[in-house]
Amino acid sequence: MTIIQSTVSSTDQIELLKHTGESLNVLQKFWQNLDWEKILSVLISKGLLIVIVLIVLGISRNLLLKVLANSFENYKKKQGQNSGRIDTLETVARNFLQYLLFFIAIYCVLTIVGIPIGSLIAGAGIAGVAVGLGAQGFISDVISGFFIIYERQIEVGDHVMINAIEGHVTQVGLRTTQVRSFNGTLNYIPNREILTISNLSRGDQQVLIDIRVNPEEDIDKVKRLIEEVNQSIGDTLKDLTADITIVGLVTLPNGAFAVRVITYATAGQQFGIKTTLTTAYIEKLTENGITIPSSPINVTV
């Protein structure tokens, strides 16, 4: 039995070596029959063609972006044109141009390599359902961005509040909107997540100033001094769009008393107006012996 098993095992080994040798011979013949000169020639020619196409597209991109920037700059110089609106349109046009050139580059490279574009499109149709589920967010961003731009809800440079993020708009795109907060943070907000936009750069903005006073102070004197400040510097504030109105004594949420002053200013200038008026009021009142509380006043009723 042992001799028979050894014979069978040796026969199997011989057959295995025979098949392995035949496979190696097939691979060797295939390797030797390859036309390496032709393969190298094709690789070099297609590689050079791809490089040339990419260089041409790169040069075209730079030239087109330069022409685009000059066109919008000349358009911006025209009288009566909204600078923020033009900056927004320029950003959208630049992004569209770069996306277009990117897809053209992909198409050219695939065509040179020999990949059938028609087959890829057909395959994309088959996989469209699966891809579409993942692209829903992207499509929603683009649609929302289109209407934001079309309806001119916001423009570059506007002071806005979006989803509790306050700052100035730096870019409005079809997919995202960029808002830079006052502390320098740049926020990227997907357009589909923009539900409410508070645009603080449209129309005149209210300037509300509360000058806190002690209850025992002469309120009429305080109002008279504030009115003197209004008369002296009111005409110098060119960004005011309404008269400065002294509302009178009001109670603040912390129980303190204050003399309230209200006016309106050009959008974006309300903060500077408020600072200027508040500083002038405090200096005037202090010079005339009016004590300005430095801590909240607790009032018990």
Side-chain angles (χ1 to χ4, degrees), residues 118-131:
S119 300
L120 289 179
I121 294 175
I126 297 174
V129 176
V131 176

Side-chain angles (χ1 to χ4, degrees), residues 141-156:
D141 285 335
V142 172
I143 294 175
S144 299
F146 171 78
F147 283 106
I148 289 174
I149 296 171
Y150 178 75
E151 296 175 355
R152 300 182 61 183
Q153 298 176 15
I154 54 177
E155 296 174 354
V156 174

Side-chain angles (χ1 to χ4, degrees), residues 151-285:
E151 296 175 355
R152 300 182 61 183
Q153 298 176 15
I154 54 177
E155 296 174 354
V156 174
D158 283 354
H159 176 201
V160 299
M161 180 176 289
I162 301 175
N163 299 346
I165 298 176
E166 184 175 1
H168 288 97
V169 178
T170 59
Q171 181 174 324
V172 182
L174 288 176
R175 194 175 66 84
T176 60
T177 296
Q178 298 179 23
V179 177
R180 186 175 295 280
S181 302
F182 296 116
N183 62 0
T185 303
L186 184 60
N187 305 279
Y188 294 84
I189 307 174
N191 290 331
R192 67 178 182 276
E193 296 183 2
I194 299 177
L195 302 178
T196 303
I197 299 176
S198 299
N199 195 327
L200 306 179
S201 296
R202 302 289 174 85
D204 299 334
Q205 298 296 306
Q206 185 186 71
V207 179
L208 188 149
I209 303 173
D210 288 330
I211 303 297
R212 291 194 303 152
V213 295
N214 290 311
E216 62 271 14
E217 294 288 355
D218 187 348
I219 303 302
D220 289 334
K221 180 181 179 181
V222 172
K223 294 167 63 177
R224 184 174 66 254
L225 294 173
I226 290 177
E227 182 60 32
E228 291 178 5
V229 173
N230 295 340
Q231 295 295 331
S232 62
I233 69 172
D235 295 336
T236 64
L237 302 175
K238 303 302 182 183
D239 293 313
L240 285 179
T241 58
D243 295 334
I244 304 174
T245 302
I246 301 176
V247 177
L249 192 66
V250 297
T251 304
L252 301 179
N254 61 359
F257 292 101
V259 175
R260 176 165 294 176
V261 178
I262 293 179
T263 187
Y264 287 85
T266 305
Q269 305 300 321
Q270 63 269 27
F271 304 106
I273 295 293
K274 183 173 183 178
T275 299
T276 301
L277 289 176
T278 301
T279 302
Y281 293 154
I282 297 300
E283 291 178 350
K284 185 71 171 181
L285 294 174

Side-chain angles (χ1 to χ4, degrees), residues 24-42:
L24 291 175
N25 289 332
V26 171
L27 291 175
Q28 186 176 7
K29 290 180 180 179
F30 173 77
W31 187 265
Q32 292 175 350
N33 291 332
L34 288 176
D35 190 348
W36 289 107
E37 184 177 350
K38 182 178 180 181
I39 293 175
L40 186 61
S41 174
V42 171

Side-chain angles (χ1 to χ4, degrees), residues 87-100:
D87 290 339
T88 302
L89 293 176
E90 181 181 359
T91 301
V92 174
R94 188 189 308 116
N95 291 338
F96 176 78
L97 176 61
Q98 294 188 105
Y99 285 138
L100 179 62

